[in-house]
């Protein structure tokens, strides 16, 4: 079975407030701050951030992306926050506490993105440092270039259903909702990519974390 890694959580209030368009000049700013502080205390109770990856020969007939046609191997990665954070968001909406429902959901998005970024060091240490396979940049299934059906391949190859309790719908959406699947190309005859992820080369143009500024 592939090794499961627990990932510490990391979130920045300023980033969250910017994404939620919350500013100090707003009359409700104090309410926003109180909601954030209350939710922050709950995070250790509702988070079970786990990552898993596997190195596999690039022998599939259908390639995930044109940038991965020539590499000898693919690294399949899966990161999840677990189900409780989304369940908490749902419970707030059911109680008509829309502020906390929206805020904890937005916190989950940031936590998942940060966790996948932090997990890169684990992948690099295992695949590049220990095994000698340099990594390309990250590629993620989306609605544009990489078909969503590859989410199923990532889940299957990582054994994510048994190892970290991630399932998938008929429409190839993961559950728990706050789960991210992605891949790297790996090869002993290439150079290590300078970045884990580059928004300029990503085909997911609707991603809320997209940043193409220099």
């Amino acid at each position: 079975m592939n090794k499961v890694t627990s990932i510490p959580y990391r979130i920045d209030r300023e980033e969250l407030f910017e994404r939620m368009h919350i500013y100090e000049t707003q009359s409700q700013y104090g309410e926003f701050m109180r909601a954030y502080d209350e939710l922050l205390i709950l995070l250790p109770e509702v988070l079970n951030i786990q990552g898993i990856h596997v190195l596999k020969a690039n022998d599939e007939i259908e390639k995930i992306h044109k940038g991965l046609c020539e590499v000898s191997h693919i690294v399949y990665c899966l990161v999840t926050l677990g189900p409780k954070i989304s369940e908490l968001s749902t419970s707030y909406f059911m109680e008509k506490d829309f502020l906390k429902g929206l805020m904890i959901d937005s916190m989950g998005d940031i936590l998942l993105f940060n966790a996948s970024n932090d997990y890169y060091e684990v992948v690099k240490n295992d695949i590049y440092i220990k095994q000698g396979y340099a990594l390309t940049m990250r590629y993620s299934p989306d609605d544009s270039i990489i078909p969503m059906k590859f989410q199923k391949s990532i889940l299957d190859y990582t054994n994510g259903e048994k190892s970290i309790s991630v399932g998938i719908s008929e429409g190839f959406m993961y559950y728990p909702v706050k789960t991210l699947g992605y891949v790297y190309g790996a090869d002993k005859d290439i150079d290590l990519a300078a970045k884990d992820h580059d928004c300029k080369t990503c085909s997911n143009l609707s991603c809320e974390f997209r940043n193409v500024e220099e």
Side-chain angles (χ1 to χ4, degrees), residues 46-203:
V46 299
L47 290 176
N48 182 23
I49 310 179
Q50 297 177 299
I52 192 167
H53 66 274
V54 64
L55 178 71
K56 184 182 180 298
N58 187 19
D59 54 8
E60 298 291 338
I61 296 176
E62 184 179 9
K63 305 304 182 186
I64 293 179
H65 188 277
K66 62 182 180 180
L68 300 175
C69 291
E70 303 300 327
V71 293
S72 64
H73 289 72
I74 301 292
V75 183
Y76 296 86
C77 304
L78 197 65
V79 173
T80 186
L81 303 186
K84 290 184 179 180
I85 189 168
S86 295
E87 291 170 358
L88 180 61
S89 177
T90 299
S91 70
Y92 281 129
F93 281 115
M94 292 181 66
E95 296 167 3
K96 301 189 183 304
D97 191 338
F98 301 114
L99 171 57
K100 287 185 179 177
L102 287 169
M103 187 172 287
I104 193 66
D105 186 67
S106 295
M107 290 171 78
D109 291 337
I110 293 173
L111 288 161
L112 181 59
F113 192 77
N114 288 345
S116 69
N117 287 341
D118 295 344
Y119 189 57
Y120 174 70
E121 292 303 319
V122 176
V123 176
K124 184 173 71 171
N125 183 66
D126 177 28
I127 304 300
Y128 177 60
I129 302 299
K130 292 183 178 179
Q131 301 187 58
Y133 290 90
L135 300 169
T136 67
M137 286 188 294
R138 182 196 309 189
Y139 294 88
S140 301
D142 55 49
D143 294 321
S144 180
I145 294 176
I146 305 176
M148 292 298 292
K149 66 180 181 179
F150 282 110
Q151 299 231 102
K152 180 68 164 57
S153 298
I154 296 169
L155 180 66
D156 290 344
Y157 290 139
T158 58
N159 198 28
E161 188 169 2
K162 291 184 178 180
S163 58
I164 55 176
S165 301
V166 172
I168 196 166
S169 69
E170 291 183 0
F172 304 109
M173 301 301 293
Y174 292 131
Y175 54 87
V177 175
K178 302 304 184 188
T179 300
L180 186 63
Y182 51 96
V183 301
Y184 299 94
D187 201 302
K188 293 188 175 183
D189 294 323
I190 62 173
D191 293 327
L192 181 70
K195 296 181 179 180
D196 165 29
H197 179 73
D198 188 347
C199 292
K200 290 182 179 180
T201 64
C202 181
S203 58

